[in-house]
Amino acid sequence: MLPENQKKYDEKEKRVKDAIALKEPDRVPIMPQPELYPIFNAGYTVAEVVYDTSLQKMKNAAIKYLKDFDPDGGTGAGMVFAGEGPGMELIKPKNMRWAGMPGDIIDKNSIQQFIEYPLLLNDEYDEFFTDRTGWSLKKAIPRTSAVFDPLVNFQYNLGNASRGARQIASMFSAPDFRAMIQDLWAIDDFYKSHQAKVEEINKEVHEMGFPVYMGGGAGVPFDFYSDFLRGTLLTMEDFYDRPEAIERYIGETLEVTLEAIGRTKGKDEGKHFFMALHKGMDGFMSDELYRKYYWSHLQKIILAIIDSGHVPYIYTEGKYNSRIDCLTEVPPGKVFYHFEEVDMAVAKKKLGGIACITGGFPATLLDWGTPEQVREEMKRLMDICAPGGGFVFGTSCGMGNCKRENVEAMFESAREYGAY
């Protein structure tokens, strides 16, 4: 890294670390959620970037965004499925839609879409808890990806080793199983090559003097249950019809999650552990149920991430006003909370001196507002959140096809109003 880039890197990293430690840096760090905006800023469509397996277009977009606006955090391939189009076609997911996919099912400039439906059906709980591997292989996995359709017919009767091996060999030699195996090899080859290109982009961003803070991820067990196993509607029924099943599953999943986090100790310490909170928003469940099924586990995960030497980056989704009191129950200066929609004045009052906060700036204002409105909202937010430190400027959610003049106004006013 060139000396001037190293200086820039160190300044940016210190700025963010000071804010998370509840100190006042030289100015408020600027880390909006760029998401799709770099793609549009570079003149590409999302579909183009998703199907550019060289990742050159995503690389161009990321570098242009960083050079144009000089944020305090780097951006790489991100979470926009850059270059993954052909890989997704190999996987044949049944619960995903992406820009440029065959049939153009969603718009060429759309972020990827997740389709929620239950994988665990009402009559499968006994099998789920007694034979998780068998249920996953024959039911869950084929329900999410067409590449695994042959597994629906997988049968194995335990016998002597010779007979069992012959039985499985015969089954996996059938044309559909042979095709599945070939596809799995192709998927593995594709993503190994893809990951190498992602790492090349991250390395170049690093050499430019931009820290990339993400170092891992985790999830709340309740979100796994609701997002993937049962879906939102059935989960709400399960609060009353199967509370013991929810508790059993999230207890098992919590144990696995904590063990996985513990294994990261000593690796990329100081990096951020990303956690998106999907089903914890206001109104989804009562405060009592939130504490029982959600916060009690999230709190343990946050503490485990801290103990592993990482920073919990907790990305709340939806309104989170009624949950702020729970979020205060963490060690001071160790946690980084992102808010999509919350009263930032209340968040600052309750979390000031406890946790660094970010977000709260409506990303839609960049799409539909004016530069004057952007500056006004920026000043309002800085006046509330900047005093005393513990604040990183960020948008409420990912940036889309924003007006260029609004993005310029956002960065300019962030530097002007965020100076200490």
Side-chain angles (χ1 to χ4, degrees), residues 328-349:
T328 65
E329 299 168 5
V330 296
K334 302 291 184 181
V335 183
F336 189 17
Y337 288 121
H338 176 279
F339 292 107
E340 178 181 0
E341 188 174 352
V342 79
D343 186 328
M344 292 298 281
V346 174
K348 178 67 175 182
K349 181 178 180 180

Side-chain angles (χ1 to χ4, degrees), residues 324 328 343-354 357 384-385:
I324 294 176
T328 65
D343 186 328
M344 292 298 281
V346 174
K348 178 67 175 182
K349 181 178 180 180
K350 292 188 174 183
L351 291 168
I354 296 175
I357 61 175
I384 292 170
C385 298

Side-chain angles (χ1 to χ4, degrees), residues 132-315:
R132 187 73 53 83
T133 299
W135 175 84
S136 298
L137 284 174
K138 295 173 62 176
K139 294 181 178 177
I141 297 175
R143 287 170 182 164
T144 62
S145 171
V147 75
F148 293 112
D149 281 348
L151 291 177
V152 171
N153 300 315
F154 181 78
Q155 297 290 337
Y156 174 64
N157 298 316
L158 184 64
N160 63 54
S162 173
R163 182 173 298 173
R166 289 170 58 191
Q167 178 187 357
I168 293 176
S170 176
M171 184 177 301
F172 275 79
S173 295
D176 57 347
F177 273 82
R178 285 177 182 266
M180 178 185 73
I181 293 169
Q182 293 285 347
D183 285 343
L184 292 175
W185 288 342
I187 290 166
D188 185 57
D189 289 343
F190 177 88
Y191 277 98
K192 282 177 179 174
S193 173
H194 177 269
Q195 185 58 35
K197 295 166 190 170
V198 169
E199 290 170 3
E200 287 176 8
I201 295 176
N202 290 340
K203 181 179 179 181
E204 184 154 347
V205 168
H206 176 88
E207 291 295 320
M208 290 171 63
F210 292 93
V212 176
Y213 298 100
M214 290 298 118
V220 179
F222 181 86
D223 283 340
F224 292 143
Y225 183 89
S226 182
D227 290 352
F228 304 112
L229 289 182
R230 294 289 283 165
T232 301
L233 295 180
L234 290 180
T235 296
M236 297 182 79
E237 294 179 7
D238 292 344
F239 279 138
Y240 304 97
D241 297 340
R242 295 182 179 83
E244 70 288 343
I246 300 178
E247 292 180 46
R248 181 175 176 181
Y249 172 78
I250 61 180
E252 293 174 356
T253 306
L254 176 65
E255 184 177 343
V256 172
T257 300
L258 296 178
E259 288 176 358
I261 293 169
R263 291 194 294 271
T264 68
K265 195 164 188 174
K267 303 174 184 177
D268 292 326
E269 292 201 5
K271 295 283 189 179
H272 300 178
F273 241 71
F274 179 80
M275 290 186 68
L277 309 187
H278 294 161
K279 301 293 175 65
M281 73 287 288
D282 296 349
F284 184 83
M285 63 183 93
S286 68
D287 292 343
E288 179 184 359
L289 291 178
Y290 178 79
R291 280 192 171 274
K292 179 179 181 179
Y293 291 112
Y294 209 95
W295 174 248
S296 61
H297 306 93
L298 173 57
Q299 184 185 43
K300 289 183 175 68
I301 295 170
I302 288 173
L303 296 176
I305 293 171
I306 293 170
D307 185 62
S308 73
H310 301 90
V311 176
Y313 179 23
I314 312 302
Y315 195 98

Side-chain angles (χ1 to χ4, degrees), residues 372-386:
E372 292 72 25
Q373 290 173 321
V374 169
R375 293 188 185 95
E376 288 173 7
E377 178 60 20
M378 183 65 71
K379 186 178 188 308
R380 187 192 73 82
L381 190 63
M382 290 292 185
D383 287 347
I384 292 170
C385 298

